[in-house]
Amino acid sequence: MSVDIATVKKIASLARIAITEEEAARIAPELDNIMGWIEQLGEVDVTGVEPMTAVIPNHLRLRDDVVTDGNVREAVLSNAPQAEHGFFAVPKVIE
């Protein structure tokens, strides 16, 4: 695929980027080279190669998913203006 100035202007328009004619002329060969590299990658034989997310094997070290209250109830309630029976106490609101 050959990238010309019209294609660069179209891409810039779709990306909402304002470029001048000189910038488009400078960018066109660069994008053409990038497209050439992509075409080279498409020619590589990858049969039998498993898809991967990284080049080295990574294993997540997970902890047990245990629900706790954090054992800080008294410390949290010490900041409350009023607490009753281990809970925040708020004024009753009735219309």
Side-chain angles (χ1 to χ4, degrees):
M1 176 183 176
S2 178
V3 179
D4 57 355
I5 295 175
T7 306
V8 172
K9 287 182 177 180
K10 174 78 172 179
I11 293 169
S13 172
L14 292 172
R16 306 278 194 255
I17 299 172
I19 61 171
T20 63
E21 189 75 27
E22 295 81 27
E23 291 173 328
R26 183 178 48 83
I27 292 172
E30 292 179 21
L31 287 178
D32 196 36
N33 285 338
I34 292 170
M35 293 304 293
W37 292 334
I38 292 171
E39 288 173 2
Q40 283 181 353
L41 287 174
E43 296 171 2
V44 175
D45 181 24
V46 292
T47 55
V49 178
E50 292 288 326
M52 62 178 129
T53 58
V55 294
I56 57 173
N58 292 330
H59 299 287
L60 294 175
R61 293 181 288 272
L62 300 175
R63 61 178 170 79
D64 292 335
D65 190 13
V66 179
V67 178
T68 65
D69 64 355
N71 298 324
V72 290
R73 175 185 276 186
E74 296 305 319
V76 171
L77 289 177
S78 68
N79 294 321
Q82 185 179 1
E84 294 178 7
H85 310 292
F87 298 99
F88 288 102
V90 295
K92 191 178 204 181
V93 179
I94 300 177
E95 290 188 20

